[in-house]
Amino acid sequence: MDGYHIPSMIFQVFNFIILFTIIFFIIRYLLNSSKQRKEMNRRLQAIEEKLDDINHL
């Protein structure tokens, strides 16, 4: 009984660690992509403002 129970506990802990790591990486990836999206939006806005300035000349 105990010989079977201990490995399954280790397996559960391993599963939990793997799941936690995957979730952590997904959250980090989403945060990074949203930062990059903000940066891209800022650059696009700057380009649009330059184009507007050129059009007004």
PDB file of all heavy atoms in Angstrom, residues 1 4 6 12 18 20 23 25 32 35 38 40-41 45-49 51 53 55 57:
ATOM      1  N   MET A   1       0.846  -1.195   0.000  1.00  0.00           N
ATOM      2  CA  MET A   1       0.000   0.000   0.000  1.00  0.00           C
ATOM      3  C   MET A   1       0.887   1.254   0.000  1.00  0.00           C
ATOM      4  O   MET A   1       0.764   2.099  -0.856  1.00  0.00           O
ATOM      5  CB  MET A   1      -0.891  -0.010   1.251  1.00  0.00           C
ATOM      6  CG  MET A   1      -1.873   1.159   1.322  1.00  0.00           C
ATOM      7  SD  MET A   1      -3.204   0.993   0.104  1.00  0.00           S
ATOM      8  CE  MET A   1      -3.997   2.586   0.307  1.00  0.00           C
ATOM      9  N   TYR A   4       3.060   1.843  -3.050  1.00  0.00           N
ATOM     10  CA  TYR A   4       2.349   2.392  -4.214  1.00  0.00           C
ATOM     11  C   TYR A   4       1.995   3.861  -3.981  1.00  0.00           C
ATOM     12  O   TYR A   4       2.000   4.659  -4.906  1.00  0.00           O
ATOM     13  CB  TYR A   4       1.080   1.568  -4.477  1.00  0.00           C
ATOM     14  CG  TYR A   4       0.244   2.153  -5.602  1.00  0.00           C
ATOM     15  CD1 TYR A   4       0.649   2.017  -6.928  1.00  0.00           C
ATOM     16  CD2 TYR A   4      -0.940   2.834  -5.332  1.00  0.00           C
ATOM     17  CE1 TYR A   4      -0.097   2.548  -7.961  1.00  0.00           C
ATOM     18  CE2 TYR A   4      -1.699   3.364  -6.352  1.00  0.00           C
ATOM     19  CZ  TYR A   4      -1.283   3.221  -7.681  1.00  0.00           C
ATOM     20  OH  TYR A   4      -2.019   3.745  -8.680  1.00  0.00           O
ATOM     21  N   ILE A   6       3.483   6.322  -2.130  1.00  0.00           N
ATOM     22  CA  ILE A   6       4.539   7.349  -2.146  1.00  0.00           C
ATOM     23  C   ILE A   6       4.877   7.787  -3.576  1.00  0.00           C
ATOM     24  O   ILE A   6       4.920   8.978  -3.835  1.00  0.00           O
ATOM     25  CB  ILE A   6       5.780   6.861  -1.367  1.00  0.00           C
ATOM     26  CG1 ILE A   6       5.447   6.781   0.137  1.00  0.00           C
ATOM     27  CG2 ILE A   6       6.977   7.789  -1.597  1.00  0.00           C
ATOM     28  CD1 ILE A   6       6.446   5.963   0.945  1.00  0.00           C
ATOM     29  N   GLN A  12       2.199  13.378  -8.314  1.00  0.00           N
ATOM     30  CA  GLN A  12       1.273  14.502  -8.183  1.00  0.00           C
ATOM     31  C   GLN A  12       2.033  15.810  -7.992  1.00  0.00           C
ATOM     32  O   GLN A  12       1.703  16.826  -8.609  1.00  0.00           O
ATOM     33  CB  GLN A  12       0.326  14.282  -6.997  1.00  0.00           C
ATOM     34  CG  GLN A  12      -0.841  13.359  -7.331  1.00  0.00           C
ATOM     35  CD  GLN A  12      -1.755  13.151  -6.139  1.00  0.00           C
ATOM     36  OE1 GLN A  12      -1.370  13.419  -4.998  1.00  0.00           O
ATOM     37  NE2 GLN A  12      -2.955  12.680  -6.395  1.00  0.00           N
ATOM     38  N   ILE A  18       4.979  21.072 -12.895  1.00  0.00           N
ATOM     39  CA  ILE A  18       4.964  21.246 -14.351  1.00  0.00           C
ATOM     40  C   ILE A  18       3.826  22.185 -14.749  1.00  0.00           C
ATOM     41  O   ILE A  18       4.023  23.128 -15.521  1.00  0.00           O
ATOM     42  CB  ILE A  18       4.854  19.882 -15.060  1.00  0.00           C
ATOM     43  CG1 ILE A  18       6.165  19.094 -14.892  1.00  0.00           C
ATOM     44  CG2 ILE A  18       4.537  20.068 -16.541  1.00  0.00           C
ATOM     45  CD1 ILE A  18       6.038  17.630 -15.240  1.00  0.00           C
ATOM     46  N   PHE A  20       2.303  24.441 -12.913  1.00  0.00           N
ATOM     47  CA  PHE A  20       2.591  25.782 -12.405  1.00  0.00           C
ATOM     48  C   PHE A  20       3.584  26.492 -13.316  1.00  0.00           C
ATOM     49  O   PHE A  20       3.403  27.676 -13.651  1.00  0.00           O
ATOM     50  CB  PHE A  20       3.153  25.673 -10.984  1.00  0.00           C
ATOM     51  CG  PHE A  20       3.369  27.003 -10.330  1.00  0.00           C
ATOM     52  CD1 PHE A  20       2.296  27.720  -9.823  1.00  0.00           C
ATOM     53  CD2 PHE A  20       4.640  27.534 -10.233  1.00  0.00           C
ATOM     54  CE1 PHE A  20       2.492  28.953  -9.218  1.00  0.00           C
ATOM     55  CE2 PHE A  20       4.848  28.764  -9.631  1.00  0.00           C
ATOM     56  CZ  PHE A  20       3.765  29.474  -9.122  1.00  0.00           C
ATOM     57  N   ILE A  23       1.883  27.491 -16.613  1.00  0.00           N
ATOM     58  CA  ILE A  23       0.998  28.638 -16.399  1.00  0.00           C
ATOM     59  C   ILE A  23       1.838  29.904 -16.228  1.00  0.00           C
ATOM     60  O   ILE A  23       1.521  30.951 -16.803  1.00  0.00           O
ATOM     61  CB  ILE A  23       0.081  28.385 -15.172  1.00  0.00           C
ATOM     62  CG1 ILE A  23      -0.947  27.314 -15.510  1.00  0.00           C
ATOM     63  CG2 ILE A  23      -0.613  29.680 -14.756  1.00  0.00           C
ATOM     64  CD1 ILE A  23      -1.662  26.747 -14.288  1.00  0.00           C
ATOM     65  N   PHE A  25       4.830  30.567 -17.421  1.00  0.00           N
ATOM     66  CA  PHE A  25       5.402  30.999 -18.694  1.00  0.00           C
ATOM     67  C   PHE A  25       4.340  31.619 -19.588  1.00  0.00           C
ATOM     68  O   PHE A  25       4.608  32.603 -20.282  1.00  0.00           O
ATOM     69  CB  PHE A  25       6.077  29.813 -19.406  1.00  0.00           C
ATOM     70  CG  PHE A  25       7.512  29.639 -18.996  1.00  0.00           C
ATOM     71  CD1 PHE A  25       7.886  28.567 -18.203  1.00  0.00           C
ATOM     72  CD2 PHE A  25       8.475  30.546 -19.393  1.00  0.00           C
ATOM     73  CE1 PHE A  25       9.211  28.407 -17.815  1.00  0.00           C
ATOM     74  CE2 PHE A  25       9.802  30.390 -19.010  1.00  0.00           C
ATOM     75  CZ  PHE A  25      10.168  29.310 -18.219  1.00  0.00           C
ATOM     76  N   ASN A  32       4.420  40.065 -21.716  1.00  0.00           N
ATOM     77  CA  ASN A  32       5.425  40.589 -22.648  1.00  0.00           C
ATOM     78  C   ASN A  32       4.782  41.007 -23.959  1.00  0.00           C
ATOM     79  O   ASN A  32       5.109  42.061 -24.503  1.00  0.00           O
ATOM     80  CB  ASN A  32       6.505  39.533 -22.923  1.00  0.00           C
ATOM     81  CG  ASN A  32       7.491  39.424 -21.771  1.00  0.00           C
ATOM     82  OD1 ASN A  32       7.555  40.304 -20.924  1.00  0.00           O
ATOM     83  ND2 ASN A  32       8.250  38.351 -21.754  1.00  0.00           N
ATOM     84  N   LYS A  35       3.020  44.301 -23.594  1.00  0.00           N
ATOM     85  CA  LYS A  35       3.994  45.400 -23.558  1.00  0.00           C
ATOM     86  C   LYS A  35       4.458  45.727 -24.967  1.00  0.00           C
ATOM     87  O   LYS A  35       4.536  46.889 -25.358  1.00  0.00           O
ATOM     88  CB  LYS A  35       5.205  45.021 -22.703  1.00  0.00           C
ATOM     89  CG  LYS A  35       5.021  45.214 -21.210  1.00  0.00           C
ATOM     90  CD  LYS A  35       6.333  44.902 -20.487  1.00  0.00           C
ATOM     91  CE  LYS A  35       6.103  44.689 -19.006  1.00  0.00           C
ATOM     92  NZ  LYS A  35       7.294  44.132 -18.359  1.00  0.00           N
ATOM     93  N   LYS A  38       1.837  47.632 -26.868  1.00  0.00           N
ATOM     94  CA  LYS A  38       1.802  49.044 -26.488  1.00  0.00           C
ATOM     95  C   LYS A  38       2.925  49.798 -27.195  1.00  0.00           C
ATOM     96  O   LYS A  38       2.720  50.894 -27.711  1.00  0.00           O
ATOM     97  CB  LYS A  38       1.948  49.196 -24.962  1.00  0.00           C
ATOM     98  CG  LYS A  38       0.660  48.923 -24.207  1.00  0.00           C
ATOM     99  CD  LYS A  38       0.891  49.067 -22.696  1.00  0.00           C
ATOM    100  CE  LYS A  38      -0.280  48.491 -21.917  1.00  0.00           C
ATOM    101  NZ  LYS A  38       0.054  48.253 -20.509  1.00  0.00           N
ATOM    102  N   MET A  40       4.417  49.006 -30.016  1.00  0.00           N
ATOM    103  CA  MET A  40       4.085  49.094 -31.439  1.00  0.00           C
ATOM    104  C   MET A  40       3.057  50.201 -31.666  1.00  0.00           C
ATOM    105  O   MET A  40       3.173  50.984 -32.605  1.00  0.00           O
ATOM    106  CB  MET A  40       3.535  47.754 -31.948  1.00  0.00           C
ATOM    107  CG  MET A  40       4.599  46.692 -32.161  1.00  0.00           C
ATOM    108  SD  MET A  40       5.729  47.095 -33.508  1.00  0.00           S
ATOM    109  CE  MET A  40       4.598  46.962 -34.903  1.00  0.00           C
ATOM    110  N   ASN A  41       2.030  50.257 -30.815  1.00  0.00           N
ATOM    111  CA  ASN A  41       1.002  51.292 -30.953  1.00  0.00           C
ATOM    112  C   ASN A  41       1.625  52.673 -30.829  1.00  0.00           C
ATOM    113  O   ASN A  41       1.261  53.595 -31.569  1.00  0.00           O
ATOM    114  CB  ASN A  41      -0.097  51.108 -29.893  1.00  0.00           C
ATOM    115  CG  ASN A  41      -1.029  49.960 -30.237  1.00  0.00           C
ATOM    116  OD1 ASN A  41      -1.053  49.505 -31.371  1.00  0.00           O
ATOM    117  ND2 ASN A  41      -1.799  49.496 -29.257  1.00  0.00           N
ATOM    118  N   GLN A  45       1.628  55.470 -33.746  1.00  0.00           N
ATOM    119  CA  GLN A  45       1.074  56.795 -33.482  1.00  0.00           C
ATOM    120  C   GLN A  45       2.083  57.881 -33.870  1.00  0.00           C
ATOM    121  O   GLN A  45       1.714  58.885 -34.496  1.00  0.00           O
ATOM    122  CB  GLN A  45       0.707  56.919 -32.005  1.00  0.00           C
ATOM    123  CG  GLN A  45      -0.513  57.787 -31.769  1.00  0.00           C
ATOM    124  CD  GLN A  45      -1.044  57.638 -30.341  1.00  0.00           C
ATOM    125  OE1 GLN A  45      -0.435  56.945 -29.521  1.00  0.00           O
ATOM    126  NE2 GLN A  45      -2.160  58.279 -30.056  1.00  0.00           N
ATOM    127  N   ALA A  46       3.352  57.669 -33.527  1.00  0.00           N
ATOM    128  CA  ALA A  46       4.393  58.633 -33.869  1.00  0.00           C
ATOM    129  C   ALA A  46       4.515  58.764 -35.384  1.00  0.00           C
ATOM    130  O   ALA A  46       4.626  59.873 -35.918  1.00  0.00           O
ATOM    131  CB  ALA A  46       5.727  58.201 -33.260  1.00  0.00           C
ATOM    132  N   ILE A  47       4.470  57.636 -36.100  1.00  0.00           N
ATOM    133  CA  ILE A  47       4.556  57.657 -37.561  1.00  0.00           C
ATOM    134  C   ILE A  47       3.352  58.405 -38.142  1.00  0.00           C
ATOM    135  O   ILE A  47       3.501  59.232 -39.043  1.00  0.00           O
ATOM    136  CB  ILE A  47       4.639  56.212 -38.119  1.00  0.00           C
ATOM    137  CG1 ILE A  47       5.997  55.591 -37.762  1.00  0.00           C
ATOM    138  CG2 ILE A  47       4.436  56.202 -39.634  1.00  0.00           C
ATOM    139  CD1 ILE A  47       6.037  54.077 -37.946  1.00  0.00           C
ATOM    140  N   GLU A  48       2.166  58.127 -37.602  1.00  0.00           N
ATOM    141  CA  GLU A  48       0.962  58.809 -38.091  1.00  0.00           C
ATOM    142  C   GLU A  48       1.072  60.314 -37.873  1.00  0.00           C
ATOM    143  O   GLU A  48       0.695  61.101 -38.739  1.00  0.00           O
ATOM    144  CB  GLU A  48      -0.285  58.264 -37.386  1.00  0.00           C
ATOM    145  CG  GLU A  48      -0.734  56.916 -37.931  1.00  0.00           C
ATOM    146  CD  GLU A  48      -1.857  56.301 -37.103  1.00  0.00           C
ATOM    147  OE1 GLU A  48      -2.349  56.965 -36.184  1.00  0.00           O
ATOM    148  OE2 GLU A  48      -2.234  55.156 -37.391  1.00  0.00           O
ATOM    149  N   GLU A  49       1.591  60.723 -36.707  1.00  0.00           N
ATOM    150  CA  GLU A  49       1.757  62.154 -36.442  1.00  0.00           C
ATOM    151  C   GLU A  49       2.740  62.777 -37.422  1.00  0.00           C
ATOM    152  O   GLU A  49       2.497  63.885 -37.930  1.00  0.00           O
ATOM    153  CB  GLU A  49       2.247  62.367 -35.004  1.00  0.00           C
ATOM    154  CG  GLU A  49       1.136  62.178 -33.965  1.00  0.00           C
ATOM    155  CD  GLU A  49       1.654  62.108 -32.533  1.00  0.00           C
ATOM    156  OE1 GLU A  49       2.842  62.418 -32.320  1.00  0.00           O
ATOM    157  OE2 GLU A  49       0.868  61.728 -31.661  1.00  0.00           O
ATOM    158  N   LEU A  51       3.346  61.724 -40.476  1.00  0.00           N
ATOM    159  CA  LEU A  51       2.640  61.788 -41.771  1.00  0.00           C
ATOM    160  C   LEU A  51       1.676  62.968 -41.786  1.00  0.00           C
ATOM    161  O   LEU A  51       1.578  63.685 -42.795  1.00  0.00           O
ATOM    162  CB  LEU A  51       1.885  60.482 -42.039  1.00  0.00           C
ATOM    163  CG  LEU A  51       2.741  59.286 -42.455  1.00  0.00           C
ATOM    164  CD1 LEU A  51       1.897  58.023 -42.542  1.00  0.00           C
ATOM    165  CD2 LEU A  51       3.422  59.539 -43.798  1.00  0.00           C
ATOM    166  N   ASP A  53       1.962  65.722 -40.104  1.00  0.00           N
ATOM    167  CA  ASP A  53       2.776  66.944 -40.223  1.00  0.00           C
ATOM    168  C   ASP A  53       3.184  67.160 -41.674  1.00  0.00           C
ATOM    169  O   ASP A  53       3.141  68.280 -42.191  1.00  0.00           O
ATOM    170  CB  ASP A  53       4.032  66.846 -39.335  1.00  0.00           C
ATOM    171  CG  ASP A  53       3.682  66.921 -37.851  1.00  0.00           C
ATOM    172  OD1 ASP A  53       2.527  67.293 -37.547  1.00  0.00           O
ATOM    173  OD2 ASP A  53       4.546  66.590 -37.015  1.00  0.00           O
ATOM    174  N   ASN A  55       1.633  66.082 -44.358  1.00  0.00           N
ATOM    175  CA  ASN A  55       0.446  66.440 -45.125  1.00  0.00           C
ATOM    176  C   ASN A  55       0.051  67.889 -44.913  1.00  0.00           C
ATOM    177  O   ASN A  55      -0.480  68.525 -45.830  1.00  0.00           O
ATOM    178  CB  ASN A  55      -0.728  65.533 -44.748  1.00  0.00           C
ATOM    179  CG  ASN A  55      -0.562  64.119 -45.300  1.00  0.00           C
ATOM    180  OD1 ASN A  55       0.184  63.910 -46.252  1.00  0.00           O
ATOM    181  ND2 ASN A  55      -1.258  63.166 -44.724  1.00  0.00           N
ATOM    182  N   LEU A  57       2.087  70.366 -44.486  1.00  0.00           N
ATOM    183  CA  LEU A  57       3.037  71.297 -45.102  1.00  0.00           C
ATOM    184  C   LEU A  57       2.560  71.718 -46.497  1.00  0.00           C
ATOM    185  O   LEU A  57       2.054  70.912 -47.249  1.00  0.00           O
ATOM    186  CB  LEU A  57       4.425  70.638 -45.215  1.00  0.00           C
ATOM    187  CG  LEU A  57       5.160  70.438 -43.883  1.00  0.00           C
ATOM    188  CD1 LEU A  57       6.442  69.672 -44.124  1.00  0.00           C
ATOM    189  CD2 LEU A  57       5.461  71.766 -43.190  1.00  0.00           C
TER     190      LEU A  57
END
